[in-house]
Amino acid sequence: EMVESVRQYGVLVPGICRARTEGGFEIIAGHTRCEACKRAGDTTMPMIIKEVDDDEATIIMVDSNIQREDVLVSEKAKAYKMRYDAMKHQGVKGNSLKAMSEETGENEKKIQRFIWLARLSDTLLDMVDNKKLPMAQAVDLSFLSIKEQVAVVDVMNKISELIEQKKGFKKILQ
């Protein structure tokens, strides 16, 4: 849909990039629009060039991705964690969660939960994204080590196998 929109109307919102020390530019925000331009046959795309350090670039990238309508829980979790870390690295005075809440309009507690979710294994994050693991339980699991999370996933898989076997036995008996 985006490729067709670019063909018909062009890029409506410019991307954001920064100059690289070794030459050229690095896209900070607008990667998907850039790919849509390529697929539409365009060789250029409107860009805003900003002079920003790595932390500022991370914050811009996170903010632009969080605004998408179709953001997965895992994407939001990783984005908020990156933004939180960048703000801490910048030495943001006071409560970074409160600052993030004010800037994003999202509740502080909810932001904190997303940051905790970023500590989950990829397997558990996929389960949250696919609505196979509720967020509240996922937050609880985020306090486990990765090794413990792997063990939880193994147990969950074994339980699923047993349930499927039981269904198979019921069919045979019928």
Side-chain angles (χ1 to χ4, degrees):
E1 290 175 11
M2 186 180 286
V3 172
E4 192 52 42
S5 175
V6 167
R7 279 191 187 112
Q8 194 169 1
Y9 306 108
V11 175
L12 303 175
V13 178
I16 301 172
C17 67
R18 66 178 177 169
R20 295 175 9 173
T21 53
E22 61 273 5
F25 293 89
E26 174 186 31
I27 297 174
I28 298 170
H31 296 88
T32 307
R33 282 169 277 170
C34 183
E35 183 60 30
C37 285
K38 288 177 187 174
R39 291 182 186 189
D42 291 347
T43 56
T44 62
M45 178 180 138
M47 297 295 276
I48 296 169
I49 301 170
K50 292 211 172 241
E51 198 171 312
V52 294
D53 62 23
D54 290 343
D55 292 326
E56 293 167 318
T58 297
I59 290 169
I60 291 168
M61 183 266 307
V62 167
D63 286 349
S64 69
N65 283 329
I66 290 294
Q67 292 174 14
R68 290 187 355 242
E69 289 179 23
D70 59 343
V71 179
L72 294 171
V73 171
S74 60
E75 292 173 325
K76 201 169 197 177
K78 290 174 183 177
Y80 276 149
K81 174 78 167 103
M82 288 173 65
R83 189 174 206 287
Y84 181 78
D85 290 345
M87 289 175 76
K88 286 289 188 187
H89 189 255
Q90 285 180 323
V92 171
K93 301 250 190 271
N95 186 340
S96 297
L97 288 175
K98 184 174 181 163
M100 287 176 65
S101 176
E102 290 168 359
E103 292 170 9
T104 63
E106 190 104 58
N107 176 290
E108 275 181 67
K109 294 284 186 193
K110 194 169 186 180
I111 292 171
Q112 182 64 63
R113 286 186 201 103
F114 277 110
I115 291 170
W116 286 332
L117 289 176
R119 300 185 305 199
L120 285 175
S121 69
D122 289 340
T123 304
L124 289 172
L125 268 176
D126 286 343
M127 292 173 79
V128 176
D129 284 341
N130 293 310
K131 298 184 181 7
K132 293 181 179 180
L133 178 63
M135 220 168 129
Q137 285 72 23
V139 168
D140 290 341
L141 292 173
S142 74
F143 291 94
L144 300 175
S145 70
I146 292 295
K147 186 177 178 180
E148 292 167 326
Q149 291 179 33
V150 168
V152 168
V153 170
D154 287 343
V155 169
M156 291 170 74
N157 287 336
K158 284 185 171 80
I159 290 170
S160 291
E161 288 173 19
L162 290 172
I163 290 169
E164 288 303 315
Q165 285 177 358
K166 187 176 180 179
K167 287 179 184 175
F169 290 138
K170 282 185 178 179
K171 286 182 183 176
I172 290 171
L173 293 173
Q174 291 173 349

